Amino acid sequence: MFTSKCLILRRLPTSCRRHRFTPALGRAAGSTFVLGIETSCDDTGAAVLDETGVILGECLHSQKQVHLRTGGIVPTVAQQLHRENIARVVREAVERSGVTPGRLSAVATTVKPGLALSLGVGLQFSLDFVKCHGKPFIPIHHMEAHALTVRMLQPVAFPFLVLLISGGHALLALARGVDDFLLLGRTLDEAPGDTMDKVARRLSIVKHPKCSTLSGGQAIELLAKQGQRRKFPFTTPMGQYYDCNFSFAGLRNQVTMAIKKQEHEEGIQPGTLLSCVNDIAAATQHTVASHLARRTHRAVLFCKAKGLLPLSRPTLVVSGGVASNQYIREALTVITEATGLHLLCPPAKFCTDNGVMVAWNGIERLREGKGILPHDVDVSYEPKAPLGVDITAEVKEAAIKVPSVKLRIDD
Ligand code: KG4
Ligand code: ZN
Protein backbone atom coordinates (compact mmCIF):
# COMPACT_ATOMS: atom_id res chain seq x y z
CA MET A 1 0.00 0.00 0.00
CA PHE A 2 2.78 2.37 1.00
CA THR A 3 4.76 1.59 -2.15
CA SER A 4 1.78 1.87 -4.46
CA LYS A 5 1.02 5.39 -3.18
CA CYS A 6 4.60 6.42 -3.88
CA LEU A 7 4.42 4.95 -7.35
CA ILE A 8 1.16 6.72 -8.09
CA LEU A 9 2.74 10.06 -7.30
CA ARG A 10 6.03 9.44 -9.08
CA ARG A 11 4.20 8.72 -12.32
CA LEU A 12 2.80 12.25 -12.46
CA PRO A 13 3.38 14.29 -15.58
CA THR A 14 4.83 17.74 -14.88
CA SER A 15 2.95 19.83 -17.44
CA CYS A 16 -0.61 20.12 -16.24
CA ARG A 17 -3.24 22.81 -16.01
CA ARG A 18 -2.78 25.23 -13.13
CA HIS A 19 -5.53 27.12 -11.46
CA ARG A 20 -4.33 30.68 -10.94
CA PHE A 21 -5.84 32.63 -8.11
CA THR A 22 -4.81 36.24 -7.65
CA PRO A 23 -2.84 36.33 -4.42
CA ALA A 24 -2.74 39.19 -1.97
CA LEU A 25 -0.93 42.12 -3.51
CA GLY A 26 2.72 42.84 -3.00
CA ARG A 27 4.08 39.31 -2.78
CA ALA A 28 6.67 37.89 -5.10
CA ALA A 29 6.44 34.37 -6.51
CA GLY A 30 8.91 31.94 -5.05
CA SER A 31 9.89 28.32 -4.73
CA THR A 32 8.25 27.18 -1.51
CA PHE A 33 5.52 24.67 -2.29
CA VAL A 34 3.18 23.10 0.24
CA LEU A 35 0.76 20.24 -0.36
CA GLY A 36 -2.33 20.53 1.85
CA ILE A 37 -4.62 17.59 2.62
CA GLU A 38 -8.07 17.83 4.22
CA THR A 39 -10.27 14.90 5.32
CA SER A 40 -11.70 16.02 8.67
CA CYS A 41 -15.35 15.60 7.76
CA ASP A 42 -16.98 14.79 4.42
CA ASP A 43 -14.72 16.50 1.89
CA THR A 44 -11.55 14.94 0.53
CA GLY A 45 -9.45 17.93 -0.50
CA ALA A 46 -5.90 18.52 -1.64
CA ALA A 47 -4.04 21.52 -3.02
CA VAL A 48 -0.54 22.73 -3.79
CA LEU A 49 0.21 26.39 -3.05
CA ASP A 50 3.32 28.49 -3.33
CA GLU A 51 4.33 30.87 -0.55
CA THR A 52 2.61 33.85 -2.20
CA GLY A 53 -0.80 32.16 -1.99
CA VAL A 54 -1.03 31.13 -5.63
CA ILE A 55 -3.02 27.92 -5.96
CA LEU A 56 -0.93 25.86 -8.34
CA GLY A 57 -3.21 22.82 -8.31
CA GLU A 58 -6.23 21.66 -6.37
CA CYS A 59 -8.77 18.88 -6.27
CA LEU A 60 -11.85 18.36 -4.11
CA HIS A 61 -14.14 15.37 -3.79
CA SER A 62 -17.35 16.17 -1.92
CA GLN A 63 -19.36 13.38 -0.30
CA LYS A 64 -22.38 15.65 0.08
CA GLN A 65 -24.66 13.84 -2.36
CA VAL A 66 -24.08 10.47 -0.66
CA HIS A 67 -24.74 11.89 2.81
CA LEU A 68 -27.86 13.70 1.58
CA ARG A 69 -29.24 10.34 0.49
CA THR A 70 -28.46 8.64 3.81
CA GLY A 71 -29.89 11.58 5.78
CA GLY A 72 -26.66 12.64 7.46
CA ILE A 73 -23.00 11.75 7.70
CA VAL A 74 -22.41 8.11 8.64
CA PRO A 75 -18.77 8.07 9.83
CA THR A 76 -17.97 4.64 8.40
CA VAL A 77 -19.35 5.69 5.01
CA ALA A 78 -17.33 8.92 5.14
CA GLN A 79 -14.21 6.91 5.99
CA GLN A 80 -14.77 4.52 3.10
CA LEU A 81 -15.28 7.38 0.63
CA HIS A 82 -12.13 9.14 1.85
CA ARG A 83 -10.22 5.87 1.38
CA GLU A 84 -11.58 5.45 -2.13
CA ASN A 85 -10.72 9.00 -3.18
CA ILE A 86 -7.68 10.25 -1.31
CA ALA A 87 -4.99 8.91 -3.64
CA ARG A 88 -6.75 10.25 -6.75
CA VAL A 89 -7.51 13.64 -5.16
CA VAL A 90 -3.90 14.16 -4.05
CA ARG A 91 -2.57 12.89 -7.36
CA GLU A 92 -4.76 15.29 -9.34
CA ALA A 93 -3.88 18.29 -7.16
CA VAL A 94 -0.16 17.56 -7.46
CA GLU A 95 -0.47 16.80 -11.17
CA ARG A 96 -2.26 20.09 -11.89
CA SER A 97 0.35 22.04 -9.93
CA GLY A 98 3.20 20.81 -12.09
CA VAL A 99 5.26 20.48 -8.91
CA THR A 100 6.78 17.04 -8.53
CA PRO A 101 6.58 15.51 -5.03
CA GLY A 102 10.35 15.88 -4.75
CA ARG A 103 10.06 19.70 -5.07
CA LEU A 104 7.46 20.06 -2.29
CA SER A 105 8.72 21.93 0.76
CA ALA A 106 6.30 20.21 3.15
CA VAL A 107 2.97 18.42 3.50
CA ALA A 108 0.30 19.97 5.74
CA THR A 109 -2.66 17.86 6.84
CA THR A 110 -5.68 18.40 9.05
CA VAL A 111 -5.22 16.23 12.15
CA LYS A 112 -7.77 17.92 14.48
CA PRO A 113 -10.64 18.36 15.25
CA GLY A 114 -13.09 16.27 13.21
CA LEU A 115 -14.52 12.80 12.73
CA ALA A 116 -11.99 10.25 13.98
CA LEU A 117 -12.52 7.85 11.08
CA SER A 118 -12.20 10.65 8.51
CA LEU A 119 -9.15 12.30 10.10
CA GLY A 120 -7.44 8.90 10.25
CA VAL A 121 -7.55 8.43 6.47
CA GLY A 122 -5.91 11.76 5.64
CA LEU A 123 -3.34 11.40 8.39
CA GLN A 124 -2.27 7.87 7.43
CA PHE A 125 -2.03 8.79 3.76
CA SER A 126 0.05 11.86 4.64
CA LEU A 127 2.40 10.01 6.98
CA ASP A 128 3.03 7.43 4.26
CA PHE A 129 3.57 10.19 1.73
CA VAL A 130 6.07 12.20 3.81
CA LYS A 131 8.00 9.06 4.70
CA CYS A 132 8.09 8.00 1.09
CA HIS A 133 9.32 11.39 -0.19
CA GLY A 134 11.30 12.47 2.87
CA LYS A 135 9.26 15.67 3.39
CA PRO A 136 8.55 17.64 6.58
CA PHE A 137 5.06 17.20 8.00
CA ILE A 138 2.90 20.03 9.37
CA PRO A 139 -0.14 18.91 11.43
CA ILE A 140 -3.01 21.37 10.98
CA HIS A 141 -5.88 22.44 13.26
CA HIS A 142 -8.97 22.62 11.02
CA MET A 143 -10.32 25.78 12.68
CA GLU A 144 -6.95 27.54 12.52
CA ALA A 145 -6.99 26.83 8.78
CA HIS A 146 -10.51 28.30 8.40
CA ALA A 147 -9.40 31.37 10.39
CA LEU A 148 -6.27 32.06 8.35
CA THR A 149 -7.69 31.47 4.83
CA VAL A 150 -8.54 35.15 4.51
CA ARG A 151 -4.84 36.06 4.69
CA MET A 152 -4.23 34.07 1.52
CA LEU A 153 -6.66 36.35 -0.30
CA GLN A 154 -5.65 39.75 1.05
CA PRO A 155 -3.33 41.26 3.64
CA VAL A 156 -5.03 41.07 7.05
CA ALA A 157 -2.77 41.87 9.98
CA PHE A 158 -3.02 40.24 13.40
CA PRO A 159 -4.87 40.70 15.67
CA PHE A 160 -8.33 40.28 14.20
CA LEU A 161 -11.61 38.90 15.47
CA VAL A 162 -12.84 35.72 13.82
CA LEU A 163 -16.24 34.02 13.78
CA LEU A 164 -16.11 30.45 12.51
CA ILE A 165 -19.44 28.81 11.74
CA SER A 166 -19.82 25.43 10.08
CA GLY A 167 -21.53 22.07 10.32
CA GLY A 168 -19.29 21.03 13.19
CA HIS A 169 -18.34 24.28 14.90
CA ALA A 170 -19.33 27.72 16.10
CA LEU A 171 -16.66 29.79 17.75
CA LEU A 172 -15.54 33.35 18.29
CA ALA A 173 -11.82 33.94 18.71
CA LEU A 174 -9.22 36.64 18.61
CA ALA A 175 -6.48 35.67 16.16
CA ARG A 176 -3.22 37.15 17.50
CA GLY A 177 -0.81 35.11 15.42
CA VAL A 178 -0.58 32.05 13.20
CA ASP A 179 -0.78 29.73 16.20
CA ASP A 180 -1.98 32.20 18.81
CA PHE A 181 -5.72 32.42 19.44
CA LEU A 182 -7.88 33.56 22.37
CA LEU A 183 -11.14 31.64 22.47
CA LEU A 184 -13.96 34.07 23.38
CA GLY A 185 -16.98 31.84 22.80
CA ARG A 186 -18.04 28.47 21.43
CA THR A 187 -21.16 26.45 20.98
CA LEU A 188 -22.43 24.69 24.08
CA ASP A 189 -24.39 22.12 22.09
CA GLU A 190 -24.61 21.94 18.32
CA ALA A 191 -23.20 23.99 15.46
CA PRO A 192 -25.42 26.26 13.32
CA GLY A 193 -24.79 24.23 10.14
CA ASP A 194 -25.72 21.06 11.99
CA THR A 195 -28.91 22.69 13.25
CA MET A 196 -29.89 23.82 9.76
CA ASP A 197 -29.02 20.43 8.27
CA LYS A 198 -31.21 18.69 10.87
CA VAL A 199 -34.11 21.12 10.43
CA ALA A 200 -33.87 20.64 6.66
CA ARG A 201 -33.95 16.87 7.12
CA ARG A 202 -36.94 17.04 9.47
CA LEU A 203 -38.71 19.19 6.86
CA SER A 204 -37.76 16.69 4.10
CA ILE A 205 -36.46 19.65 2.14
CA VAL A 206 -34.48 17.28 -0.07
CA LYS A 207 -37.85 16.41 -1.70
CA HIS A 208 -38.25 20.02 -2.81
CA PRO A 209 -37.48 20.15 -6.53
CA LYS A 210 -35.08 23.09 -6.11
CA CYS A 211 -33.22 21.59 -3.15
CA SER A 212 -32.44 17.98 -4.03
CA THR A 213 -28.68 18.57 -4.36
CA LEU A 214 -28.25 21.32 -1.75
CA SER A 215 -26.89 21.00 1.78
CA GLY A 216 -29.44 21.72 4.53
CA GLY A 217 -28.03 25.21 5.10
CA GLN A 218 -28.06 26.07 1.40
CA ALA A 219 -31.64 24.78 1.06
CA ILE A 220 -32.81 26.82 4.04
CA GLU A 221 -31.21 29.95 2.60
CA LEU A 222 -32.90 29.37 -0.76
CA LEU A 223 -36.40 28.65 0.60
CA ALA A 224 -36.17 31.42 3.20
CA LYS A 225 -36.11 33.97 0.36
CA GLN A 226 -39.79 33.13 -0.32
CA GLY A 227 -40.78 32.81 3.35
CA GLN A 228 -42.22 35.07 6.01
CA ARG A 229 -40.16 34.58 9.11
CA ARG A 230 -42.60 36.36 11.43
CA LYS A 231 -45.08 33.51 11.04
CA PHE A 232 -42.90 31.47 13.39
CA PRO A 233 -41.54 33.60 16.25
CA PHE A 234 -38.71 31.33 17.36
CA THR A 235 -36.71 32.81 20.18
CA THR A 236 -33.03 33.55 20.34
CA PRO A 237 -31.49 31.32 22.99
CA MET A 238 -29.69 32.35 26.18
CA GLY A 239 -30.56 36.03 26.12
CA GLN A 240 -30.01 35.98 29.88
CA TYR A 241 -26.29 35.05 29.73
CA TYR A 242 -23.88 37.87 29.04
CA ASP A 243 -21.24 35.73 27.35
CA CYS A 244 -20.20 34.90 23.79
CA ASN A 245 -21.19 31.24 23.78
CA PHE A 246 -23.74 29.86 21.34
CA SER A 247 -26.60 27.41 21.72
CA PHE A 248 -28.75 26.09 18.90
CA ALA A 249 -30.36 23.00 20.43
CA GLY A 250 -33.22 25.02 21.92
CA LEU A 251 -34.03 26.52 18.53
CA ARG A 252 -34.07 23.08 16.93
CA ASN A 253 -36.46 21.92 19.61
CA GLN A 254 -38.79 24.85 18.93
CA VAL A 255 -38.67 24.18 15.19
CA THR A 256 -39.40 20.47 15.66
CA MET A 257 -42.42 21.28 17.84
CA ALA A 258 -43.69 23.79 15.27
CA ILE A 259 -43.29 21.25 12.47
CA LYS A 260 -45.20 18.60 14.44
CA LYS A 261 -48.00 21.07 15.11
CA GLN A 262 -48.21 22.05 11.44
CA GLU A 263 -48.20 18.40 10.32
CA HIS A 264 -51.06 17.75 12.69
CA GLU A 265 -53.01 20.80 11.47
CA GLU A 266 -52.41 20.00 7.80
CA GLY A 267 -53.15 16.30 8.44
CA ILE A 268 -49.93 15.10 6.83
CA GLN A 269 -47.31 12.53 7.83
CA PRO A 270 -43.66 13.36 8.63
CA GLY A 271 -41.71 13.08 5.39
CA THR A 272 -44.15 15.19 3.38
CA LEU A 273 -43.33 18.80 2.49
CA LEU A 274 -45.32 21.28 4.55
CA SER A 275 -47.06 24.17 2.80
CA CYS A 276 -45.30 26.56 5.21
CA VAL A 277 -41.81 25.13 4.63
CA ASN A 278 -40.55 28.50 3.33
CA ASP A 279 -41.77 30.33 6.42
CA ILE A 280 -40.13 27.82 8.77
CA ALA A 281 -36.89 28.10 6.78
CA ALA A 282 -37.03 31.90 7.00
CA ALA A 283 -37.74 31.90 10.74
CA THR A 284 -34.97 29.36 11.44
CA GLN A 285 -32.43 31.29 9.40
CA HIS A 286 -33.40 34.57 11.03
CA THR A 287 -33.07 33.17 14.56
CA VAL A 288 -29.66 31.67 13.77
CA ALA A 289 -28.54 34.96 12.20
CA SER A 290 -29.65 37.14 15.10
CA HIS A 291 -28.08 34.82 17.68
CA LEU A 292 -24.76 34.86 15.80
CA ALA A 293 -24.98 38.64 15.37
CA ARG A 294 -25.67 39.39 19.03
CA ARG A 295 -22.90 37.12 20.34
CA THR A 296 -20.48 38.61 17.82
CA HIS A 297 -21.54 42.10 18.88
CA ARG A 298 -20.61 41.25 22.49
CA ALA A 299 -17.26 39.84 21.36
CA VAL A 300 -16.48 43.09 19.55
CA LEU A 301 -17.40 45.14 22.62
CA PHE A 302 -15.35 42.85 24.88
CA CYS A 303 -12.29 43.14 22.66
CA LYS A 304 -12.67 46.91 22.48
CA ALA A 305 -13.09 47.22 26.24
CA LYS A 306 -9.92 45.18 26.83
CA GLY A 307 -7.94 46.93 24.10
CA LEU A 308 -7.49 43.68 22.20
CA LEU A 309 -8.25 45.05 18.73
CA PRO A 310 -6.09 47.56 16.83
CA LEU A 311 -7.45 51.10 16.65
CA SER A 312 -6.67 51.24 12.96
CA ARG A 313 -8.87 49.05 10.76
CA PRO A 314 -10.15 46.55 13.34
CA THR A 315 -11.43 43.54 11.43
CA LEU A 316 -13.98 40.75 11.82
CA VAL A 317 -13.33 37.70 9.66
CA VAL A 318 -16.21 35.26 9.16
CA SER A 319 -15.58 31.84 7.67
CA GLY A 320 -16.72 28.20 7.67
CA GLY A 321 -19.52 26.69 5.56
CA VAL A 322 -22.34 28.71 7.18
CA ALA A 323 -20.48 31.96 6.40
CA SER A 324 -21.53 31.57 2.78
CA ASN A 325 -25.09 32.44 3.87
CA GLN A 326 -25.86 35.93 2.57
CA TYR A 327 -28.58 36.63 5.13
CA ILE A 328 -26.18 35.83 7.98
CA ARG A 329 -23.49 37.99 6.38
CA GLU A 330 -25.97 40.84 6.19
CA ALA A 331 -26.85 40.51 9.88
CA LEU A 332 -23.14 40.61 10.73
CA THR A 333 -22.66 43.64 8.51
CA VAL A 334 -25.13 45.53 10.67
CA ILE A 335 -22.98 44.74 13.71
CA THR A 336 -19.68 45.67 12.08
CA GLU A 337 -21.14 48.94 10.76
CA ALA A 338 -22.49 49.78 14.23
CA THR A 339 -19.11 49.09 15.87
CA GLY A 340 -16.77 50.44 13.19
CA LEU A 341 -15.24 47.11 12.24
CA HIS A 342 -14.27 45.99 8.79
CA LEU A 343 -16.03 42.73 7.78
CA LEU A 344 -14.23 40.18 5.65
CA CYS A 345 -15.72 36.90 4.40
CA PRO A 346 -13.77 34.72 1.99
CA PRO A 347 -15.75 33.68 -1.10
CA ALA A 348 -18.01 30.64 -0.55
CA LYS A 349 -15.58 28.17 -2.14
CA PHE A 350 -12.97 29.08 0.47
CA CYS A 351 -15.47 29.13 3.36
CA THR A 352 -16.34 25.45 3.00
CA ASP A 353 -13.79 22.70 3.60
CA ASN A 354 -11.03 22.35 1.04
CA GLY A 355 -7.36 21.46 0.69
CA VAL A 356 -6.38 25.03 -0.18
CA MET A 357 -6.94 26.39 3.32
CA VAL A 358 -4.84 23.57 4.79
CA ALA A 359 -1.99 24.20 2.35
CA TRP A 360 -2.14 27.93 3.17
CA ASN A 361 -2.00 27.18 6.90
CA GLY A 362 1.08 25.07 6.09
CA ILE A 363 2.66 28.02 4.24
CA GLU A 364 1.98 30.33 7.20
CA ARG A 365 3.50 27.86 9.65
CA LEU A 366 6.47 27.17 7.40
CA ARG A 367 7.22 30.91 7.13
CA GLU A 368 7.32 31.19 10.91
CA GLY A 369 8.94 27.81 11.53
CA LYS A 370 6.08 26.70 13.76
CA GLY A 371 4.97 23.08 14.17
CA ILE A 372 7.11 21.57 11.42
CA LEU A 373 7.89 17.92 12.08
CA PRO A 374 10.38 15.51 10.51
CA HIS A 375 9.12 12.93 7.99
CA ASP A 376 9.57 9.96 10.33
CA VAL A 377 7.48 11.40 13.14
CA ASP A 378 4.46 9.57 14.54
CA VAL A 379 1.44 11.86 14.86
CA SER A 380 -2.02 11.03 16.19
CA TYR A 381 -5.27 12.66 15.19
CA GLU A 382 -7.49 14.39 17.78
CA PRO A 383 -11.27 14.37 17.15
CA LYS A 384 -11.78 17.01 19.83
CA ALA A 385 -9.36 19.92 20.05
CA PRO A 386 -10.22 23.42 21.29
CA LEU A 387 -8.71 26.38 19.46
CA GLY A 388 -6.31 28.56 21.42
CA VAL A 389 -6.44 29.75 25.01
CA ASP A 390 -9.94 29.54 26.45
CA ILE A 391 -10.97 32.87 28.00
CA THR A 392 -14.73 32.26 27.73
CA ALA A 393 -15.06 32.48 31.54
CA GLU A 394 -13.39 35.91 31.54
CA VAL A 395 -15.76 37.07 28.79
CA LYS A 396 -18.73 35.88 30.81
CA GLU A 397 -17.43 37.59 33.92
CA ALA A 398 -17.14 40.90 32.06
CA ALA A 399 -20.93 40.60 31.51
CA ILE A 400 -20.96 43.14 28.73
CA LYS A 401 -24.45 44.40 27.83
CA VAL A 402 -25.12 44.56 24.13
CA PRO A 403 -27.19 47.56 23.05
CA SER A 404 -30.19 46.66 20.96
CA VAL A 405 -29.28 47.07 17.31
CA LYS A 406 -32.01 46.89 14.74
CA LEU A 407 -30.85 44.36 12.20
CA ARG A 408 -31.63 45.66 8.71
CA ILE A 409 -32.84 42.15 8.04
CA ASP A 410 -35.64 42.85 10.53
CA ASP A 411 -38.20 43.69 7.88
O1 KG4 B 1 -17.15 24.20 6.75
P1 KG4 B 1 -17.99 23.11 6.14
O2 KG4 B 1 -17.82 22.82 4.69
O3 KG4 B 1 -17.79 21.76 6.89
C1 KG4 B 1 -17.68 21.65 8.25
O4 KG4 B 1 -16.55 21.75 8.77
O5 KG4 B 1 -18.76 21.48 8.88
O6 KG4 B 1 -19.53 23.50 6.46
C2 KG4 B 1 -20.61 22.69 6.06
C3 KG4 B 1 -21.85 23.25 6.70
C4 KG4 B 1 -23.12 22.40 6.49
O7 KG4 B 1 -23.77 22.26 7.73
C5 KG4 B 1 -23.96 23.23 5.54
O8 KG4 B 1 -25.35 23.06 5.70
C6 KG4 B 1 -23.54 24.62 5.90
O9 KG4 B 1 -22.14 24.55 6.14
N1 KG4 B 1 -23.78 25.57 4.80
C7 KG4 B 1 -24.65 26.59 4.89
C8 KG4 B 1 -24.64 27.22 3.63
N2 KG4 B 1 -23.76 26.56 2.82
C9 KG4 B 1 -23.24 25.55 3.57
N3 KG4 B 1 -25.42 27.01 5.91
C10 KG4 B 1 -26.19 28.09 5.68
N4 KG4 B 1 -26.27 28.74 4.49
C11 KG4 B 1 -25.50 28.35 3.44
N5 KG4 B 1 -25.56 29.00 2.28
ZN1 ZN C 1 -14.80 23.22 8.20
Tab-separated table of all heavy atoms in Angstrom, residues 258-279:
chain	number	residue	atom	x	y	z
A	258	ALA	N	-42.862	23.043	16.240
A	258	ALA	CA	-43.694	23.790	15.272
A	258	ALA	C	-44.028	22.899	14.077
A	258	ALA	O	-45.163	22.918	13.572
A	258	ALA	CB	-42.955	25.046	14.817
A	259	ILE	N	-43.049	22.128	13.625
A	259	ILE	CA	-43.290	21.251	12.469
A	259	ILE	C	-44.355	20.206	12.820
A	259	ILE	O	-45.301	19.965	12.056
A	259	ILE	CB	-41.975	20.557	12.007
A	259	ILE	CG1	-40.982	21.602	11.480
A	259	ILE	CG2	-42.258	19.505	10.937
A	259	ILE	CD1	-39.581	21.064	11.200
A	260	LYS	N	-44.221	19.616	14.003
A	260	LYS	CA	-45.198	18.599	14.438
A	260	LYS	C	-46.602	19.194	14.458
A	260	LYS	O	-47.576	18.566	14.025
A	260	LYS	CB	-44.840	18.097	15.838
A	260	LYS	CG	-43.782	17.010	15.836
A	260	LYS	CD	-43.654	16.433	17.239
A	260	LYS	CE	-42.486	15.467	17.295
A	260	LYS	NZ	-41.922	15.326	18.614
A	261	LYS	N	-46.704	20.400	14.998
A	261	LYS	CA	-47.998	21.071	15.106
A	261	LYS	C	-48.582	21.317	13.710
A	261	LYS	O	-49.764	21.048	13.453
A	261	LYS	CB	-47.805	22.406	15.850
A	261	LYS	CG	-49.064	23.131	16.199
A	261	LYS	CD	-48.766	24.198	17.259
A	261	LYS	CE	-49.977	25.094	17.469
A	261	LYS	NZ	-50.034	26.212	16.545
A	262	GLN	N	-47.741	21.771	12.813
A	262	GLN	CA	-48.207	22.048	11.439
A	262	GLN	C	-48.635	20.763	10.740
A	262	GLN	O	-49.636	20.738	10.034
A	262	GLN	CB	-47.088	22.722	10.626
A	262	GLN	CG	-46.814	24.157	11.027
A	262	GLN	CD	-48.029	25.063	10.862
A	262	GLN	OE1	-48.724	25.009	9.861
A	262	GLN	NE2	-48.297	25.887	11.861
A	263	GLU	N	-47.848	19.690	10.950
A	263	GLU	CA	-48.199	18.404	10.317
A	263	GLU	C	-49.563	17.954	10.808
A	263	GLU	O	-50.396	17.468	10.029
A	263	GLU	CB	-47.127	17.350	10.640
A	263	GLU	CG	-45.862	17.517	9.825
A	263	GLU	CD	-44.697	16.656	10.310
A	263	GLU	OE1	-44.785	16.093	11.433
A	263	GLU	OE2	-43.701	16.567	9.595
A	264	HIS	N	-49.776	18.138	12.105
A	264	HIS	CA	-51.056	17.751	12.692
A	264	HIS	C	-52.189	18.582	12.072
A	264	HIS	O	-53.214	18.047	11.655
A	264	HIS	CB	-50.985	17.961	14.207
A	264	HIS	CG	-52.218	17.535	14.922
A	264	HIS	ND1	-52.583	16.210	15.049
A	264	HIS	CD2	-53.195	18.261	15.516
A	264	HIS	CE1	-53.729	16.139	15.700
A	264	HIS	NE2	-54.131	17.372	15.997
A	265	GLU	N	-51.964	19.904	12.007
A	265	GLU	CA	-53.007	20.796	11.470
A	265	GLU	C	-53.292	20.533	9.994
A	265	GLU	O	-54.426	20.606	9.542
A	265	GLU	CB	-52.578	22.260	11.659
A	265	GLU	CG	-52.804	22.734	13.088
A	265	GLU	CD	-52.309	24.152	13.345
A	265	GLU	OE1	-52.163	24.931	12.381
A	265	GLU	OE2	-52.061	24.439	14.522
A	266	GLU	N	-52.207	20.236	9.243
A	266	GLU	CA	-52.412	19.996	7.800
A	266	GLU	C	-52.795	18.542	7.524
A	266	GLU	O	-53.062	18.178	6.377
A	266	GLU	CB	-51.143	20.361	7.013
A	266	GLU	CG	-50.857	21.861	7.015
A	266	GLU	CD	-49.690	22.261	6.107
A	266	GLU	OE1	-49.399	21.536	5.132
A	266	GLU	OE2	-49.072	23.300	6.384
A	267	GLY	N	-52.772	17.716	8.587
A	267	GLY	CA	-53.151	16.300	8.436
A	267	GLY	C	-52.195	15.527	7.547
A	267	GLY	O	-52.608	14.682	6.760
A	268	ILE	N	-50.901	15.824	7.658
A	268	ILE	CA	-49.927	15.099	6.830
A	268	ILE	C	-48.909	14.365	7.701
A	268	ILE	O	-48.711	14.699	8.868
A	268	ILE	CB	-49.189	16.039	5.834
A	268	ILE	CG1	-48.403	17.115	6.599
A	268	ILE	CG2	-50.147	16.659	4.842
A	268	ILE	CD1	-47.481	17.921	5.709
A	269	GLN	N	-48.294	13.362	7.125
A	269	GLN	CA	-47.314	12.530	7.829
A	269	GLN	C	-45.927	13.169	7.739
A	269	GLN	O	-45.622	13.855	6.752
A	269	GLN	CB	-47.228	11.157	7.156
A	269	GLN	CG	-48.477	10.301	7.309
A	269	GLN	CD	-48.760	9.989	8.778
A	269	GLN	OE1	-47.871	9.589	9.519
A	269	GLN	NE2	-50.005	10.210	9.188
A	270	PRO	N	-45.055	12.920	8.757
A	270	PRO	CA	-43.656	13.356	8.629
A	270	PRO	C	-43.075	12.774	7.336
A	270	PRO	O	-43.399	11.644	6.964
A	270	PRO	CB	-42.973	12.734	9.849
A	270	PRO	CG	-44.072	12.502	10.835
A	270	PRO	CD	-45.307	12.250	10.041
A	271	GLY	N	-42.275	13.555	6.655
A	271	GLY	CA	-41.710	13.075	5.388
A	271	GLY	C	-42.384	13.725	4.193
A	271	GLY	O	-41.958	13.553	3.059
A	272	THR	N	-43.464	14.467	4.458
A	272	THR	CA	-44.148	15.187	3.381
A	272	THR	C	-43.818	16.668	3.527
A	272	THR	O	-43.712	17.174	4.651
A	272	THR	CB	-45.685	15.005	3.524
A	272	THR	OG1	-45.946	13.634	3.797
A	272	THR	CG2	-46.420	15.449	2.272
A	273	LEU	N	-43.657	17.357	2.423
A	273	LEU	CA	-43.333	18.798	2.493
A	273	LEU	C	-44.520	19.589	3.017
A	273	LEU	O	-45.642	19.435	2.525
A	273	LEU	CB	-42.971	19.311	1.096
A	273	LEU	CG	-41.525	19.162	0.629
A	273	LEU	CD1	-41.383	19.682	-0.793
A	273	LEU	CD2	-40.553	19.892	1.547
A	274	LEU	N	-44.256	20.421	4.003
A	274	LEU	CA	-45.320	21.276	4.552
A	274	LEU	C	-45.547	22.477	3.640
A	274	LEU	O	-44.613	22.951	2.988
A	274	LEU	CB	-44.885	21.813	5.921
A	274	LEU	CG	-44.999	20.884	7.119
A	274	LEU	CD1	-44.264	21.489	8.311
A	274	LEU	CD2	-46.466	20.641	7.478
A	275	SER	N	-46.772	22.995	3.644
A	275	SER	CA	-47.055	24.171	2.803
A	275	SER	C	-46.293	25.398	3.313
A	275	SER	O	-45.992	26.310	2.552
A	275	SER	CB	-48.554	24.454	2.775
A	275	SER	OG	-48.972	24.763	4.092
A	276	CYS	N	-45.970	25.392	4.637
A	276	CYS	CA	-45.297	26.563	5.212
A	276	CYS	C	-43.780	26.356	5.324
A	276	CYS	O	-43.120	27.012	6.142
A	276	CYS	CB	-45.883	26.864	6.588
A	276	CYS	SG	-45.756	25.460	7.684
A	277	VAL	N	-43.240	25.450	4.519
A	277	VAL	CA	-41.807	25.132	4.632
A	277	VAL	C	-40.932	26.384	4.452
A	277	VAL	O	-39.925	26.559	5.154
A	277	VAL	CB	-41.426	23.992	3.630
A	277	VAL	CG1	-41.627	24.408	2.184
A	277	VAL	CG2	-39.992	23.540	3.850
A	278	ASN	N	-41.351	27.282	3.550
A	278	ASN	CA	-40.550	28.503	3.326
A	278	ASN	C	-40.532	29.390	4.571
A	278	ASN	O	-39.506	29.985	4.912
A	278	ASN	CB	-41.128	29.326	2.162
A	278	ASN	CG	-41.027	28.590	0.841
A	278	ASN	OD1	-40.325	27.593	0.753
A	278	ASN	ND2	-41.725	29.073	-0.170
A	279	ASP	N	-41.681	29.474	5.233
A	279	ASP	CA	-41.772	30.328	6.422
A	279	ASP	C	-40.914	29.760	7.558
A	279	ASP	O	-40.245	30.503	8.278
A	279	ASP	CB	-43.236	30.444	6.880
A	279	ASP	CG	-44.139	30.989	5.777
A	279	ASP	OD1	-43.626	31.771	4.948
A	279	ASP	OD2	-45.316	30.610	5.730
